[in-house]
């Protein structure tokens, strides 16, 4: 199980506490602001060390009736991530538990892999004119007879147990093609692309195609995209 799939990560909750404090002033008018920043830092440090807290960020600033007028990130001693400020570059502004940091990295990696797969699925479907280039689910998919939408049908048409494609067959887009190893004219040369998570029928179809290309080295007669058409000139 990946770190981002644990209960502690999935069921975590972000919870914000708005706390308003009035800090005593001093002989100089800026004294209260310096004291208030130190109070905010101590509060952030305490939150970072509290039990079960795995992520802490704090915002503070001068306020009126509890509404912050100029919010600023608080840099505090317990922080171990984020960045500092020009006022205090040595202190960071976020505490992040190492386990949660690994979970966030795991989630980012999983999201990137999912985006890459969606893009690869879109590209392969678009290449053969699939009616569902976005990889829509079965419940909302448009009718399509391409190899990605109906791999079992392509297996049955081409003959899963044959070593070569004798007679007619279908291009990856679903149109009749003879010989099917080369595809119909608009999609001639397109290859079947199998991705992780594809149904087993698609992997078996890829194996059938691989055997066909290994055993069938003939070139397609020009202009014969439909089975049963006579050679040119007759």
């Amino acid at each position: 199980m990946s770190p981002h799939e644990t209960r502690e990560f999935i069921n975590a909750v972000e919870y914000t506490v708005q706390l308003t404090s009035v800090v005593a002033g001093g002989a100089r008018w800026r004294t209260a602001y310096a004291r208030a920043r130190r109070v905010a830092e101590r509060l952030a440090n305490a939150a970072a060390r509290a039990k079960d807290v795995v992520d802490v960020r704090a915002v503070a600033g001068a306020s009126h009736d509890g509404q912050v007028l100029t919010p600023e990130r608080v840099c505090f001693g317990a922080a171990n991530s984020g960045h500092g400020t020009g006022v205090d570059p040595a202190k960071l502004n976020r505490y992040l538990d190492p386990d949660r940091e690994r979970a966030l990295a795991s989630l980012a990696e999983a999201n990137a892999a999912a985006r890459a797969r969606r893009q690869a699925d879109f590209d392969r479907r678009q290449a053969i004119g699939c009616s569902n280039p976005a990889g829509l689910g079965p419940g909302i998919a448009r009718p399509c007879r391409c190899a990605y939408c109906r791999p079992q049908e392509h297996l049955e048409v081409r003959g899963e147990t044959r070593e070569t494609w004798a007679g007619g067959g279908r291009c990856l887009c679903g149109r009749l093609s003879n010989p099917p190893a080369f595809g119909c004219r608009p999609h001639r040369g397109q290859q079947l692309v199998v991705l992780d998570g594809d149904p087993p029928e698609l992997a078996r179809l890829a194996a059938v195609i691989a055997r066909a290309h290994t055993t069938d080295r003939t070139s397609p007669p020009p202009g014969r995209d439909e089975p049963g058409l006579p050679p040119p000139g007759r």
Side-chain angles (χ1 to χ4, degrees):
M1 179 180 290
S2 299
H4 71 272
E5 296 175 327
T6 61
R7 293 191 306 273
E8 294 80 3
F9 184 82
I10 295 174
N11 295 324
V13 62
E14 179 178 310
Y15 198 79
T16 299
V17 177
Q18 290 187 321
L19 184 150
T20 301
S21 60
V22 178
V23 180
R28 298 179 181 178
W29 72 275
R30 296 292 300 178
T31 299
Y33 287 97
R35 290 173 175 172
R37 281 194 292 270
R38 289 194 293 270
V39 169
E41 180 180 339
R42 290 198 299 270
L43 292 172
N45 285 334
R49 297 187 178 103
K51 182 181 178 182
D52 297 327
V53 172
V54 294
D55 193 346
V56 174
R57 284 163 289 184
V59 174
S63 65
H64 178 72
D65 288 337
Q67 300 298 317
V68 179
L69 305 177
T70 55
E72 296 179 353
R73 283 287 184 93
V74 176
C75 293
F76 51 101
N80 59 3
S81 184
H83 54 81
T85 65
V87 177
D88 198 348
K91 291 180 180 178
L92 302 176
N93 63 5
R94 181 184 185 186
Y95 167 73
L96 189 58
D97 182 86
D99 289 337
R100 183 165 179 82
E101 186 173 20
R102 285 190 289 271
L104 289 171
S106 173
L107 180 61
E109 183 179 347
N111 287 339
R115 286 192 299 270
R117 192 195 185 284
R118 285 195 299 270
Q119 184 62 49
D121 186 42
F122 176 85
D123 292 342
R124 67 178 180 174
R125 289 172 180 270
Q126 189 177 49
I128 62 170
C130 173
S131 298
N132 303 292
L136 302 175
I140 54 176
R142 292 182 286 269
C144 182
R145 301 187 70 177
C146 80
Y148 300 117
C149 291
R150 299 191 182 183
Q152 183 60 42
E153 180 178 307
H154 280 252
L155 280 172
E156 294 170 356
V157 170
R158 299 183 179 198
E160 185 175 2
T161 59
R162 298 177 188 171
E163 291 298 320
T164 59
W165 290 333
R170 292 193 181 276
C171 172
L172 295 180
C173 71
R175 295 174 183 168
L176 293 175
S177 175
N178 186 25
F182 300 98
C184 68
R185 185 174 294 155
H187 306 116
R188 187 155 292 165
Q190 291 293 337
Q191 301 293 318
L192 184 70
V193 178
V194 181
L195 303 175
D196 290 340
D198 281 337
E201 294 84 1
L202 199 62
R204 296 207 305 271
L205 180 60
V208 171
I209 292 175
R211 289 200 303 270
H213 280 290
T214 299
T215 58
D216 187 356
R217 301 297 182 181
T218 62
S219 298
R224 293 190 64 194
D225 289 324
E226 299 294 336
L229 291 180
R234 295 188 181 179

